[in-house]
Amino acid sequence: MQTLLQLSLLLALTFCHLTFASDPASLQDFCVADRNNQACKNPATVQAKDFSFTGLHIPGNTRNAIGSAVTAATVTQIPGLNTLGISMVRIDLAPWGINPPHTHPRATEILTVIEGSLEVGFVTSNPDNRLISKILQKGDVFVFPIGLIHYQRNVGNGNVVAIAALSSQNPGVITIANSIFGSKPDISADILAKAFQVDKSIVQQIQWRF
Amino acid sequence: MQTLLQLSLLLALTFCHLTFASDPASLQDFCVADRNNQACKNPATVQAKDFSFTGLHIPGNTRNAIGSAVTAATVTQIPGLNTLGISMVRIDLAPWGINPPHTHPRATEILTVIEGSLEVGFVTSNPDNRLISKILQKGDVFVFPIGLIHYQRNVGNGNVVAIAALSSQNPGVITIANSIFGSKPDISADILAKAFQVDKSIVQQIQWRF
Amino acid sequence: MQTLLQLSLLLALTFCHLTFASDPASLQDFCVADRNNQACKNPATVQAKDFSFTGLHIPGNTRNAIGSAVTAATVTQIPGLNTLGISMVRIDLAPWGINPPHTHPRATEILTVIEGSLEVGFVTSNPDNRLISKILQKGDVFVFPIGLIHYQRNVGNGNVVAIAALSSQNPGVITIANSIFGSKPDISADILAKAFQVDKSIVQQIQWRF
Amino acid sequence: MQTLLQLSLLLALTFCHLTFASDPASLQDFCVADRNNQACKNPATVQAKDFSFTGLHIPGNTRNAIGSAVTAATVTQIPGLNTLGISMVRIDLAPWGINPPHTHPRATEILTVIEGSLEVGFVTSNPDNRLISKILQKGDVFVFPIGLIHYQRNVGNGNVVAIAALSSQNPGVITIANSIFGSKPDISADILAKAFQVDKSIVQQIQWRF
Amino acid sequence: MQTLLQLSLLLALTFCHLTFASDPASLQDFCVADRNNQACKNPATVQAKDFSFTGLHIPGNTRNAIGSAVTAATVTQIPGLNTLGISMVRIDLAPWGINPPHTHPRATEILTVIEGSLEVGFVTSNPDNRLISKILQKGDVFVFPIGLIHYQRNVGNGNVVAIAALSSQNPGVITIANSIFGSKPDISADILAKAFQVDKSIVQQIQWRF
Amino acid sequence: MQTLLQLSLLLALTFCHLTFASDPASLQDFCVADRNNQACKNPATVQAKDFSFTGLHIPGNTRNAIGSAVTAATVTQIPGLNTLGISMVRIDLAPWGINPPHTHPRATEILTVIEGSLEVGFVTSNPDNRLISKILQKGDVFVFPIGLIHYQRNVGNGNVVAIAALSSQNPGVITIANSIFGSKPDISADILAKAFQVDKSIVQQIQWRF
């Protein structure tokens, strides 16, 4: 089963890397990504399913260390999004679960809470590093500007469900902890010890967990 | 009351027209639109509320001729969206209500159904004019490429609630019937009679309704 | 002969759809679209004819229901236009002929009248739907902003000839009547009856003509 | 104190008209440049004349050293072109007149001959420096890619009239001879002598004429 | 004196935040940022100094916790860079000094080593988080793609001097440690403990240092 | 026959790496240009060397007619620069050597002097043609706006070394003298004589040298 998953991920990566180079203004009505080929699908063979996806009503599995899950509908799931500069995700958070600090290198995010109470925040760039945060209730909307580090936390006792949209067909995610402490290979512990002003042993301890 | 509404609309138009000229890559973390001024707000005075909006949980009033309502969270409601190239809306449709054929001149739309059964469709440009349509259920996602005419229809007996995002801070809406038959002043009935290949009297009858 | 033409059109469409994905800033002096291949032609084999087209002096055939014809010089005719973001057309209108309401989803249009008297107009988006129109004489220039519905009508007794340029190599055309009442398959008559506030029988009558 | 504030606000507004800095995707239907102010005109006060210009039927005066004249319809003449990325010009050439080698730093040009026989050419960038040229007749169309040096020459005994469009509201013109030999102040004659591999005296002779 | 400096910095910030909204294609030859005003300087008053900066030959002061210093030449120092999409910096590192993990939300960086031995690395986004790193010698060039976390470390016994350019007039810097552990106000220690999978006490200890 | 096909395929592929047609916002972390193929390299096979180049410390050979040399690190040398919108060069000038008047059709340039005294200048577009020039010393930085004609001259008795960055992965160079007097085939001497207001014999003499 897992091998299958890995295989399909590998295949996805193999084809994805071929296809998409930009989010520019379209030159045609659409350019449905053709998996066997690095160009737009012949418009005559395009179908409604190329523009659709099923499953944002299904709760993600939040039984993990951080208590959250993200279900994506990007160009990987919807080939018709190719060149159109937008995508959508569902975010589930168990009580007190977090979507840990991360950035999207290619997109601004706009989020609305469908259910629950959600603390959200982003930090401005140097030199201010201001944290701009808010607790959202059902029906509230919040914006995370492109490239800034942000997080979400369920601050209620029920589950949180949120729908977010991102201004790229393939926004990218950089989870800070994974990128810094879980890269393959590791960033030298000396560098991280100096950067975070902690003992090298603490850095290694964190790296060991990722 | 209505005077107040008109006044605030007028004010909104007066200030909106001053501020926004493009959806470009940001030059700063953000550029919160300053209502008294055509530039970015001083970042030091920016607050979380500049990036948020309350109310997408409230059903729109669908007691109208078409049985639908759209609640918008664009740069008009969220000044922090300025230059960030995205916005969000809630769409409500009463049973068999429609969101009539329209285009967004500046945005692709991605939509997910929160509740109900929704027929969606868009028509490709000349010369094919293919209708690409689908009936969506709860959790389904669909994409309407930028500039193409599209519609939605509630095909169930319950209400439909959908959340959609658009790839512009100010996507614009052109409702075809209103633009063609309800412009101020009217497009000459002769032109429309020829364009739609109907009697001028039918054109005038439709114009009279808009 | 006609079969050959259809075949070549089919081929053209088959290859064209492969080739063009955007109107971005060029990365090279030019990128002449290569019909056999989805990339730029080898610059060493590029010739002057790749950048040219013959025939804008030939009047289009206006003996049709609307009394107008458009002759295009877009990337389909001029492969050298690929990635350069512009194209040109000639518009002919018989006396009282119209170029019916339409939009270009990917381009602003700028037009000058070479001969005759031409009424032009475009309608702004919701909620205003203002018709901005003017009667142009020889030598007058007019602009139709991107994505807005617009039309032209010959309001003189002689022919009208106009030259227009569009801000995309492939601007696209959506003729409203054809897109709304002539799509394949039809948009449900119920939807159009509600949208245009007319009897379903009138909708079906119009659909039947397209 | 408050007077000072008002004054500075006034000054800010006074410089506004200089502001427009780009040809981006529009954020509104249009953004008519307001001469007294750095923003879009209030849409409610926009008129058809903001989108139009009169005079492209009037021959330019070609009684000058090069035998040509260009009549422009850019954002300077048509404020409604602001942010829309296109403009138009009329080019007149007396018999054997030239539009001397020049570049447009911000636009591709597409040109059609209305009358006469016109030699056109552009030169590719280093290292090839290929001249791609052609003699156009009435109705022919030719493309000059953005940033490349190009020229036109009337090669017939009658006048030439051409209409060209450019992919920027403000394409800019750099006439090579004027920029190189006629700058204010002069580029040092030593530099030009070395660059063009001629005697300094010849450089000074040319500079003296510009 | 220092008060004056602080005041002018404050003023600079006050006006800077007003001015720049994007890195788009220019509409003019240049648009020199005018400090007293949110528009382009009158081109007639522009001078060579608006396009220049002095001081990249002066070593930065690396006597700090991380042993490095960055001297910037962005639009803040060179108003003529406004709208032109590029900037330059000098980076100094004492032996074993680091430029700690950070991202530029709006720019790709290209760097060349003028002196010394420099380890450089960036980490790809989820799910791979691959560290791509290399030890550079004098004359080597390296690229850090936009938005990705990257760092530099002097791995020699002498000083390192590097010159880097960034693809934005105002690239922005997000130093990960400062953004995550040094934001004002703090991100809740609970969130960071969960994100980094460490004890809350360690998080607080790190936060206390920033 | 088949060999021919294979050969042309090979040639096509050889030029494909030239293919990437824009500098847009990335859709992925990076898109390393794949030499055998017109798409991004599979990210799993990407290596640090795809993002690096060696040799900017090596002086270029300035023993030529103009006394200068440029060593480039663009997408041709660094495939990882593909779609990232930046590149770097080293410029060497012998005493009184010049980098003759030229433009970059696709990039702004920012330059810093590593060694020596360097006169730099650019000329604004019509109608002003102002020369904006300055003598730079070690550590000075200067900006040449996109598309404008500019030059550099060593005005000292030692060598000049400068590092410059350009806002495109493939900025292009148009050396004015070569483009105007050295194109293949020649621009007609009549045209150049009229453009530069000199005798045809002088034009031919210059052409003969290029």
Side-chain angles (χ1 to χ4, degrees):
Chain A
M1 182 61 196
Q2 200 168 355
T3 313
L4 202 71
L5 260 167
Q6 280 170 6
L7 201 77
S8 66
L9 194 72
L10 191 72
L11 273 172
L13 286 171
T14 309
F15 287 115
C16 281
H17 79 90
L18 292 170
T19 320
F20 317 113
S22 72
D23 256 343
S26 297
L27 265 203
Q28 298 150 278
D29 288 351
F30 40 74
C31 167
V32 176
D34 186 339
R35 302 280 150 164
N36 302 315
N37 178 312
Q38 54 212 307
C40 314
K41 227 173 142 170
N42 180 337
T45 69
V46 156
Q47 292 174 277
K49 69 177 180 183
D50 290 319
F51 297 92
S52 63
F53 168 80
T54 290
L56 280 205
H57 61 305
I58 304 171
N61 180 357
T62 59
R63 287 189 197 161
N64 51 43
I66 51 175
S68 72
V70 174
T71 307
T74 70
V75 74
T76 307
Q77 289 77 33
I78 307 180
L81 277 175
N82 194 25
T83 77
L84 296 179
I86 201 163
S87 55
M88 194 174 253
V89 300
R90 171 193 172 118
I91 307 171
D92 287 278
L93 298 107
W96 299 97
I98 63 165
N99 187 359
H102 62 282
T103 73
H104 303 293
R106 292 180 290 280
T108 286
E109 178 175 348
I110 187 168
L111 170 154
T112 190
V113 176
I114 302 296
E115 190 179 310
S117 291
L118 187 68
E119 177 188 335
V120 294
F122 65 82
V123 182
T124 69
S125 68
N126 299 354
D128 289 347
N129 297 310
R130 276 184 67 202
L131 172 66
I132 292 183
S133 68
K134 196 167 197 293
I135 293 177
L136 307 180
Q137 307 300 343
K138 187 176 175 170
D140 287 0
V141 176
F142 198 79
V143 177
F144 305 96
I146 184 168
L148 300 191
I149 295 177
H150 59 285
Y151 68 89
Q152 292 118 26
R153 176 166 62 153
N154 183 342
V155 289
N157 293 318
N159 291 324
V160 159
V161 179
I163 294 290
L166 297 119
S167 62
S168 167
Q169 67 180 53
N170 178 17
V173 184
I174 298 173
T175 301
I176 301 304
N178 299 51
S179 184
I180 294 282
F181 293 100
S183 71
K184 293 161 217 86
D186 275 341
I187 298 177
S188 154
D190 282 327
I191 292 172
L192 298 182
K194 208 171 257 184
F196 290 88
Q197 299 177 31
V198 288
D199 270 5
K200 208 171 137 178
S201 62
I202 290 178
V203 165
Q204 285 165 330
Q205 191 183 326
I206 305 180
Q207 284 181 327
W208 186 85
R209 292 214 180 89
F210 282 92
Chain B
M1 180 62 194
Q2 201 170 352
T3 313
L4 203 69
L5 260 168
Q6 281 170 5
L7 201 75
S8 66
L9 194 71
L10 191 71
L11 272 172
L13 287 170
T14 310
F15 286 116
C16 281
H17 81 89
L18 290 171
T19 319
F20 318 114
S22 71
D23 256 344
S26 298
L27 266 204
Q28 297 149 278
D29 289 351
F30 40 74
C31 168
V32 177
D34 186 339
R35 304 281 147 162
N36 302 315
N37 177 310
Q38 52 212 307
C40 314
K41 225 171 143 171
N42 180 336
T45 69
V46 156
Q47 291 175 278
K49 69 176 181 185
D50 290 319
F51 297 92
S52 65
F53 168 79
T54 290
L56 280 206
H57 61 305
I58 304 170
N61 180 357
T62 59
R63 288 190 197 161
N64 52 43
I66 51 175
S68 74
V70 175
T71 307
T74 70
V75 74
T76 308
Q77 288 79 31
I78 307 180
L81 277 176
N82 194 24
T83 77
L84 296 180
I86 201 163
S87 55
M88 196 175 251
V89 300
R90 173 194 171 117
I91 308 170
D92 287 277
L93 298 108
W96 299 96
I98 63 166
N99 188 359
H102 62 282
T103 73
H104 303 293
R106 290 181 290 282
T108 287
E109 178 174 347
I110 187 168
L111 170 154
T112 189
V113 175
I114 301 297
E115 188 180 311
S117 290
L118 186 69
E119 178 188 335
V120 294
F122 66 82
V123 183
T124 69
S125 68
N126 298 355
D128 289 346
N129 296 310
R130 276 184 68 201
L131 172 66
I132 292 183
S133 69
K134 197 167 195 296
I135 293 178
L136 307 180
Q137 308 299 344
K138 187 176 173 168
D140 288 359
V141 176
F142 198 80
V143 177
F144 306 97
I146 183 168
L148 300 192
I149 296 178
H150 60 284
Y151 68 89
Q152 290 118 26
R153 176 167 61 154
N154 183 343
V155 290
N157 292 319
N159 291 324
V160 160
V161 179
I163 294 290
L166 297 118
S167 62
S168 167
Q169 68 181 54
N170 179 15
V173 183
I174 299 173
T175 301
I176 301 303
N178 299 52
S179 184
I180 295 281
F181 294 101
S183 72
K184 291 161 219 85
D186 276 339
I187 298 178
S188 155
D190 282 328
I191 292 172
L192 297 181
K194 208 171 258 184
F196 290 88
Q197 300 178 30
V198 288
D199 270 6
K200 209 171 137 177
S201 61
I202 291 178
V203 166
Q204 285 165 331
Q205 192 183 323
I206 306 180
Q207 284 181 328
W208 186 84
R209 292 213 180 90
F210 281 93
Chain C
M1 181 60 193
Q2 200 169 354
T3 313
L4 202 70
L5 261 167
Q6 281 169 3
L7 201 76
S8 66
L9 194 72
L10 192 71
L11 272 172
L13 287 171
T14 308
F15 287 115
C16 281
H17 80 89
L18 291 172
T19 318
F20 317 113
S22 72
D23 257 343
S26 297
L27 266 204
Q28 297 149 274
D29 289 352
F30 40 74
C31 168
V32 176
D34 186 339
R35 303 282 149 163
N36 302 314
N37 178 310
Q38 54 212 305
C40 315
K41 228 172 142 168
N42 178 339
T45 69
V46 156
Q47 292 174 278
K49 68 175 182 184
D50 290 320
F51 297 92
S52 64
F53 167 80
T54 291
L56 280 205
H57 61 305
I58 303 170
N61 181 357
T62 59
R63 287 190 198 161
N64 51 42
I66 52 176
S68 74
V70 174
T71 307
T74 68
V75 75
T76 307
Q77 289 78 32
I78 307 179
L81 278 175
N82 193 24
T83 75
L84 295 179
I86 200 163
S87 55
M88 194 175 253
V89 300
R90 172 194 172 117
I91 307 171
D92 287 278
L93 298 108
W96 300 96
I98 63 165
N99 188 0
H102 63 281
T103 73
H104 303 294
R106 290 180 292 279
T108 285
E109 178 175 347
I110 187 167
L111 170 154
T112 190
V113 176
I114 302 298
E115 190 180 309
S117 290
L118 187 68
E119 177 187 337
V120 294
F122 66 81
V123 183
T124 68
S125 68
N126 298 354
D128 289 346
N129 297 309
R130 277 184 67 202
L131 172 66
I132 292 184
S133 68
K134 197 168 196 293
I135 293 177
L136 306 180
Q137 308 300 341
K138 188 178 173 166
D140 287 0
V141 176
F142 198 80
V143 177
F144 305 97
I146 184 169
L148 300 192
I149 295 178
H150 60 285
Y151 68 90
Q152 293 117 26
R153 176 164 65 153
N154 183 343
V155 291
N157 293 317
N159 291 324
V160 160
V161 180
I163 295 291
L166 297 119
S167 63
S168 167
Q169 67 180 52
N170 178 17
V173 183
I174 298 172
T175 301
I176 301 304
N178 298 52
S179 184
I180 294 282
F181 293 101
S183 71
K184 291 163 220 83
D186 276 341
I187 297 177
S188 155
D190 282 327
I191 292 172
L192 297 181
K194 206 171 258 185
F196 289 88
Q197 298 177 30
V198 288
D199 270 7
K200 210 172 136 177
S201 62
I202 291 178
V203 166
Q204 285 165 331
Q205 191 184 322
I206 306 180
Q207 283 182 328
W208 186 85
R209 292 214 180 88
F210 281 92
Chain D
M1 182 59 195
Q2 200 169 354
T3 313
L4 203 68
L5 261 168
Q6 282 169 4
L7 202 75
S8 65
L9 195 70
L10 191 71
L11 271 171
L13 288 172
T14 308
F15 286 108
C16 282
H17 75 94
L18 293 170
T19 319
F20 311 97
S22 73
D23 258 342
S26 299
L27 265 203
Q28 298 150 278
D29 288 351
F30 40 73
C31 168
V32 177
D34 186 340
R35 305 281 147 165
N36 302 315
N37 176 314
Q38 56 209 316
C40 314
K41 229 172 139 169
N42 180 338
T45 70
V46 156
Q47 291 174 281
K49 69 175 181 184
D50 290 319
F51 297 93
S52 63
F53 167 79
T54 290
L56 279 206
H57 62 305
I58 304 171
N61 181 356
T62 59
R63 289 190 197 160
N64 51 43
I66 50 174
S68 74
V70 175
T71 308
T74 69
V75 73
T76 309
Q77 289 78 31
I78 308 180
L81 278 175
N82 192 26
T83 76
L84 295 180
I86 200 162
S87 55
M88 196 175 251
V89 300
R90 172 193 171 119
I91 307 170
D92 287 277
L93 298 109
W96 300 97
I98 63 164
N99 188 359
H102 63 281
T103 73
H104 303 294
R106 290 181 291 281
T108 287
E109 178 175 347
I110 187 167
L111 169 154
T112 190
V113 176
I114 301 296
E115 190 180 309
S117 290
L118 186 68
E119 178 188 336
V120 294
F122 65 82
V123 182
T124 68
S125 69
N126 296 354
D128 290 346
N129 296 309
R130 279 184 66 203
L131 172 65
I132 292 183
S133 68
K134 196 166 197 293
I135 293 178
L136 307 180
Q137 308 299 343
K138 186 177 174 167
D140 287 359
V141 176
F142 198 79
V143 177
F144 305 98
I146 183 169
L148 300 191
I149 296 178
H150 60 284
Y151 68 89
Q152 293 117 25
R153 177 166 62 153
N154 183 344
V155 291
N157 292 319
N159 290 324
V160 160
V161 179
I163 294 290
L166 297 119
S167 62
S168 167
Q169 69 180 53
N170 178 17
V173 184
I174 298 172
T175 301
I176 301 302
N178 300 51
S179 184
I180 295 282
F181 293 100
S183 72
K184 290 160 222 89
D186 275 340
I187 296 177
S188 155
D190 283 328
I191 291 172
L192 296 181
K194 206 170 259 184
F196 290 88
Q197 299 178 29
V198 290
D199 269 5
K200 210 171 134 176
S201 62
I202 291 179
V203 166
Q204 285 165 331
Q205 192 184 322
I206 306 180
Q207 283 182 328
W208 184 86
R209 292 212 181 89
F210 281 92
Chain E
M1 182 59 198
Q2 200 170 352
T3 313
L4 204 68
L5 259 167
Q6 282 169 4
L7 202 75
S8 65
L9 194 71
L10 191 71
L11 272 171
L13 287 171
T14 309
F15 286 114
C16 281
H17 80 88
L18 290 171
T19 317
F20 317 112
S22 72
D23 256 342
S26 298
L27 266 202
Q28 299 149 276
D29 288 351
F30 40 74
C31 167
V32 177
D34 186 339
R35 303 282 147 163
N36 302 315
N37 161 331
Q38 54 210 305
C40 315
K41 229 174 139 169
N42 180 339
T45 70
V46 156
Q47 292 175 279
K49 69 175 181 185
D50 290 320
F51 298 91
S52 63
F53 167 79
T54 291
L56 281 204
H57 61 306
I58 304 170
N61 181 357
T62 59
R63 287 191 198 160
N64 51 43
I66 52 175
S68 74
V70 175
T71 308
T74 69
V75 74
T76 308
Q77 289 78 31
I78 308 180
L81 277 176
N82 194 24
T83 76
L84 296 180
I86 201 162
S87 55
M88 196 174 251
V89 300
R90 172 194 172 118
I91 307 171
D92 287 277
L93 298 107
W96 300 96
I98 63 165
N99 188 359
H102 62 282
T103 73
H104 303 294
R106 290 180 291 281
T108 286
E109 178 174 348
I110 186 167
L111 170 154
T112 190
V113 176
I114 302 297
E115 190 180 310
S117 290
L118 186 68
E119 177 189 336
V120 295
F122 66 82
V123 183
T124 69
S125 68
N126 298 356
D128 289 348
N129 297 309
R130 277 184 66 203
L131 172 66
I132 291 183
S133 69
K134 197 167 195 294
I135 293 177
L136 307 180
Q137 307 299 343
K138 187 176 174 169
D140 288 358
V141 176
F142 199 79
V143 177
F144 306 97
I146 183 169
L148 300 192
I149 295 178
H150 60 284
Y151 68 89
Q152 291 118 26
R153 175 166 64 154
N154 183 343
V155 290
N157 293 317
N159 291 324
V160 160
V161 180
I163 294 290
L166 297 119
S167 62
S168 167
Q169 68 180 53
N170 179 15
V173 184
I174 297 173
T175 301
I176 300 303
N178 299 51
S179 184
I180 294 282
F181 294 99
S183 71
K184 292 161 219 86
D186 276 340
I187 297 177
S188 156
D190 282 327
I191 292 172
L192 296 181
K194 206 172 259 185
F196 290 89
Q197 299 177 30
V198 289
D199 270 6
K200 210 171 136 177
S201 62
I202 291 178
V203 166
Q204 285 165 331
Q205 191 183 325
I206 306 179
Q207 284 181 327
W208 185 84
R209 292 214 180 87
F210 282 92
Chain F
M1 181 61 195
Q2 201 170 354
T3 314
L4 202 71
L5 260 167
Q6 281 169 4
L7 201 76
S8 65
L9 194 71
L10 191 71
L11 272 171
L13 289 172
T14 307
F15 287 109
C16 280
H17 77 89
L18 295 170
T19 316
F20 312 98
S22 71
D23 257 344
S26 298
L27 266 204
Q28 298 150 277
D29 287 351
F30 41 73
C31 167
V32 176
D34 186 339
R35 302 282 149 162
N36 303 313
N37 178 312
Q38 54 211 308
C40 314
K41 226 172 141 171
N42 179 337
T45 70
V46 156
Q47 292 175 279
K49 68 175 181 185
D50 290 319
F51 297 92
S52 64
F53 167 80
T54 290
L56 278 207
H57 60 305
I58 304 171
N61 182 357
T62 60
R63 288 190 198 160
N64 51 42
I66 51 174
S68 73
V70 175
T71 307
T74 68
V75 74
T76 307
Q77 290 78 33
I78 307 180
L81 277 175
N82 193 27
T83 76
L84 296 180
I86 200 163
S87 55
M88 194 176 253
V89 300
R90 173 193 170 117
I91 307 172
D92 287 277
L93 299 107
W96 300 96
I98 63 166
N99 188 0
H102 63 281
T103 73
H104 303 295
R106 291 181 289 281
T108 287
E109 179 175 346
I110 187 167
L111 170 154
T112 190
V113 175
I114 301 296
E115 189 180 310
S117 290
L118 186 69
E119 177 188 336
V120 295
F122 66 82
V123 183
T124 69
S125 68
N126 298 354
D128 290 346
N129 296 310
R130 278 184 66 201
L131 172 65
I132 292 184
S133 67
K134 196 165 196 295
I135 293 178
L136 307 180
Q137 308 301 342
K138 188 177 172 167
D140 287 359
V141 177
F142 199 80
V143 177
F144 306 97
I146 183 168
L148 299 191
I149 295 178
H150 59 284
Y151 68 89
Q152 291 117 26
R153 177 167 61 154
N154 182 343
V155 291
N157 293 318
N159 291 323
V160 160
V161 179
I163 294 290
L166 297 118
S167 62
S168 167
Q169 69 181 52
N170 178 16
V173 183
I174 298 172
T175 301
I176 301 303
N178 299 52
S179 184
I180 295 281
F181 294 100
S183 71
K184 290 162 221 87
D186 276 341
I187 297 177
S188 156
D190 282 328
I191 292 172
L192 297 181
K194 206 170 258 184
F196 289 88
Q197 298 179 31
V198 289
D199 271 6
K200 208 170 137 176
S201 62
I202 291 178
V203 166
Q204 285 164 331
Q205 191 184 321
I206 306 180
Q207 283 182 328
W208 185 86
R209 292 213 180 89
F210 280 93

